[in-house]
Amino acid sequence: MQRYSRAGRLWTCAALALSVIAPLAASSPRSDLAVLKRIASRVDERVGSVSIEASDPVPYVASQPDARTFVVELRDVAAAGVADRFVPDPRNPISAVHVETGRSADGSDVARVLMTLNQPIRPRVRSARNLIIVEADRPEPGAAAAAVTMAGPSSAIRDVRVTRRGDATAVTLLGTGRLLAASVDMPKDGPRRLQLDLPNVTSALPSVTPIKQGPVDRVHIGLSPSSPLVTRVTMQLSRAATYRVDPSVDGQDLTVVFDEPASGSPTQVASAVDTKTPPVVAPAAAAAQAPAQPPAPVPPAAQAQAPAGGSPTRFSGHPVSLDFQGADLRAVLRTFAEISGLNVVIDPTIQGTVDVALRDVPWDQALDIILRANKLGYVVDGTIVRVAPLSVLAEEEGQRRKLSEEQALSGELRVLTRSLSYAKAEDLKQLLTATALSQRGTIQTDSRTNTIIINDLPDRLDRAGQLLTTLDVPQPQVEIEARIVQTTREFARSLGVQWGVGARATTALGNSLPLAFPNQGSITGRTGTSQGADAADAAANVVNLGVNGATSALGLALGSINGAVNLDVALSALERQGQGRLLSTPRVSTQNNIEAEITQGIQIPIQTVANNTVTVSFKDAALTLKVTPQITAANTVIMQISVENASPDFSRSVNNIPPIDTQRALTRVLVSDGDTTVIGGIYVSREQSAQDRTPGLHRVPLLGWLFKRDTLADESRELLIFITPRIQRL
């Protein structure tokens, strides 16, 4: 029999022990067992293979406990009388085959086919009815010898030791030969961990070794997922830490030292690794200590943490191949107990069958898939894994939570009385009920003394007291100053002319007309209703385009001696210009998040007559400022502002009731403490020009301006609103 690894020997010893302690009645083969008929080998140009033939299709589990051992376990198969037709061939990567018989933990007959590999490779397994074929690729000519020459004899990790070096934690891998790390990496994705890849190295340890010292939580040892020739050592970390890798002088031990971060300083992860030239360091004083026996491993799937962002769970068990058809679910779960070395307790209600065909998947992933397919879950209690239906686990968790809640509510009630200084007791009643009180708690308030009375469990009273201390604090005040600036500018100019003329022919003046009729007459420009001789005594307006309220005028009057003809003209002009500025500065102070209002102005009475009843109502015509400030942690103020400037305009009164000229701004702004911002502005500009003239005569060249009146008016108004908050802390 060829040599195989320590794990293979342990498996063989366990199988022999089970066969020894099996009941005597089991020594005779059962009639319903399949029979292992023959084992044969074959080599072609590229592949070396071993075929395992049974009398019927049987379930099997394929695993690789180390890089040079491959095991195919067949359940409910008798191996007595198997025809061994394996022919050793130096060209075949499988150098030897050995068959063992025994019983599993549930008493089933087990036949194990152990294959020894002449180099670290990962074979493939496929099945066709009752035939199982294991294939291994042949190396290229000369590659095998070169690999053996370069790699030398393989080493094995025989123990993991943890020691303290002052404040540092040292994790040492002890090997049977040279341990050389080809790469050391701390991946950024997934849980925090340190990975060391060791080529041409096997392991005689369980896949998981708990550490629980310093930053190291546990050490996982398995084959690298990218190469079967490399063993990957993964050290799961509970926090970030600096590290360095120190090989021993003889190269058989590899130590990773994790330094504790300096007090108060941020932790920076760094490495000091040289995989070619080991540093000159003294061997650890604890190197001669006996290796500690690691406790039973916990399933990696139960320990692994999902990477950030909802990535799927990372599985780290060694790869296995499974092929079950109609196999009993409980028997399959016990098979995983043998594969992983776990202490497994199966719930008595679990029943069913398993049909799976998996190739080279981590055993913990295979277990997870089978559990999810059968709506099962597991819980870990120390070193024991309990498998049960999800409904059972959910019910137990609900009962456990309910029991915990009932235990928490079973204490004696006490009373807390607190007089508040700044907060309103009634305002905090609902908040405390929702956040701090239990189902048995009650709250009463006394508005006269602003006191809150709480009746609840002691721990809830402590929580409520802390919350009251946080909330009952003085709030800073904010002074808000508003400046409302209103400016007006107006300009008006008017230029007009008035013409008066009067003429008459009468016997009184001796200038009667030479006709019998008409014998006398008169010409006047009067626009009134008076007519007759007396109306023409003086010149009357023929062109009346004068300026009302004129501040400047020039008149010219002409007439005959006898007064028969009179002519006068008056030029009038007016120009007006004015500017006005109105400044209103309302100012108000208020507490944080409390609305404040200030008003200054008059109320205008408005009479309404209905059904012979006179009703008087009042309308505000005032300057009003409403503001709600909110102080932020950045020393800024968020303000909800309402500003209204309303004033009566008596120049446009209707029935002695003036209209109200209103400017209003509603806004929400963010302003730094003491800064000023413009929250609104209104600009109104009005230009107006007019011309009155005498038809026809205003077109006379050069003299046309004597028969028209020009008026020009220009007016503009501007309103600006400024806001300045000032925080006043107590």
Side-chain angles (χ1 to χ4, degrees), residues 194-337:
L194 178 66
Q195 292 179 348
L196 297 89
D197 286 342
L198 309 176
N200 201 33
V201 173
T202 60
S203 175
L205 299 177
S207 59
V208 177
T209 301
I211 301 298
K212 303 295 184 182
Q213 292 191 30
V216 185
D217 185 32
R218 63 186 180 274
V219 174
H220 172 263
I221 302 177
L223 295 179
S224 172
S226 59
S227 174
L229 306 178
V230 177
T231 293
R232 173 165 290 178
V233 178
T234 303
M235 299 183 183
Q236 301 288 350
L237 306 178
S238 59
R239 61 178 184 273
T242 60
Y243 68 89
R244 64 181 185 275
V245 180
D246 293 342
S248 63
V249 177
D250 57 5
Q252 292 190 6
D253 299 340
L254 191 62
T255 302
V256 181
V257 181
F258 295 91
D259 296 322
E260 293 294 336
S263 177
S265 62
T267 302
Q268 299 292 336
V269 178
S271 63
V273 180
D274 188 352
T275 59
K276 297 182 179 180
T277 306
V280 180
V281 295
Q289 297 179 1
Q293 295 297 329
V298 180
Q303 299 178 0
Q305 301 177 2
S311 303
T313 303
R314 300 174 63 90
F315 299 98
S316 55
H318 61 266
V320 297
S321 298
L322 306 175
D323 193 340
F324 293 111
Q325 183 176 1
D328 181 65
L329 176 58
R330 300 176 65 88
V332 173
L333 294 177
R334 285 191 291 269
T335 300
F336 278 100

Side-chain angles (χ1 to χ4, degrees), residues 31-48:
S31 59
D32 60 343
L33 293 180
V35 178
L36 185 61
K37 297 175 62 176
R38 70 176 59 86
I39 296 177
S41 61
R42 179 181 176 183
V43 181
D44 59 21
E45 294 182 356
R46 303 183 60 183
V47 177

Side-chain angles (χ1 to χ4, degrees), residues 21-311:
I21 64 175
L24 296 176
S27 60
S28 58
R30 291 160 39 192
S31 59
D32 60 343
L33 293 180
V35 178
L36 185 61
K37 297 175 62 176
R38 70 176 59 86
I39 296 177
S41 61
R42 179 181 176 183
V43 181
D44 59 21
E45 294 182 356
R46 303 183 60 183
V47 177
S49 63
V50 171
S51 59
I52 305 171
E53 183 179 358
S55 59
D56 297 297
V58 294
Y60 70 89
V61 177
S63 62
Q64 191 172 9
D66 59 66
R68 292 180 179 268
T69 304
F70 194 78
V71 181
V72 178
E73 180 183 283
L74 301 93
R75 299 179 60 85
D76 296 328
V77 173
V82 60
D84 187 358
R85 297 181 181 176
F86 178 82
V87 179
D89 190 328
R91 301 173 300 167
N92 194 341
I94 304 175
S95 59
V97 175
H98 177 68
V99 179
E100 295 178 351
T101 60
R103 289 185 180 276
S104 63
D106 59 349
S108 302
D109 291 278
V110 175
R112 294 187 180 91
V113 181
L114 290 84
M115 306 177 196
T116 302
L117 309 176
N118 57 19
Q119 58 182 338
I121 58 175
R122 180 173 294 174
R124 301 183 300 274
V125 183
R126 58 186 177 90
S127 61
R129 295 182 62 81
N130 61 331
L131 190 64
I132 300 173
I133 301 175
V134 180
E135 298 177 336
D137 294 332
R138 292 181 56 193
E140 296 295 333
V148 173
T149 301
M150 293 174 59
S154 62
S155 303
I157 301 175
R158 59 182 177 85
D159 200 4
V160 176
R161 178 179 302 157
V162 183
T163 58
R164 297 291 297 180
R165 297 185 179 180
D167 293 334
T169 301
V171 180
T172 303
L173 305 176
L174 288 80
T176 60
R178 183 175 178 81
L179 299 180
L180 183 64
S183 66
V184 180
D185 183 31
M186 184 172 284
K188 296 182 179 179
D189 60 324
R192 189 177 287 111
R193 64 196 184 277
L194 178 66
Q195 292 179 348
L196 297 89
D197 286 342
L198 309 176
N200 201 33
V201 173
T202 60
S203 175
L205 299 177
S207 59
V208 177
T209 301
I211 301 298
K212 303 295 184 182
Q213 292 191 30
V216 185
D217 185 32
R218 63 186 180 274
V219 174
H220 172 263
I221 302 177
L223 295 179
S224 172
S226 59
S227 174
L229 306 178
V230 177
T231 293
R232 173 165 290 178
V233 178
T234 303
M235 299 183 183
Q236 301 288 350
L237 306 178
S238 59
R239 61 178 184 273
T242 60
Y243 68 89
R244 64 181 185 275
V245 180
D246 293 342
S248 63
V249 177
D250 57 5
Q252 292 190 6
D253 299 340
L254 191 62
T255 302
V256 181
V257 181
F258 295 91
D259 296 322
E260 293 294 336
S263 177
S265 62
T267 302
Q268 299 292 336
V269 178
S271 63
V273 180
D274 188 352
T275 59
K276 297 182 179 180
T277 306
V280 180
V281 295
Q289 297 179 1
Q293 295 297 329
V298 180
Q303 299 178 0
Q305 301 177 2
S311 303

Side-chain angles (χ1 to χ4, degrees), residues 436-454:
L437 267 63
S438 67
Q439 298 176 0
R440 299 176 61 188
T442 58
I443 294 182
Q444 301 296 329
T445 60
D446 180 16
S447 58
R448 182 179 62 87
T449 59
N450 197 30
T451 301
I452 190 166
I453 303 101
I454 306 175

Side-chain angles (χ1 to χ4, degrees), residues 599-606 618-624 644-650 658-662:
T599 302
Q600 183 270 327
I602 63 174
Q603 289 186 327
I604 300 175
I606 300 176
F618 291 88
K619 175 67 176 177
D620 289 337
L623 173 63
T624 303
E644 180 176 315
N645 186 25
S647 59
D649 187 357
F650 291 97
I660 298 176
D661 189 5
T662 303

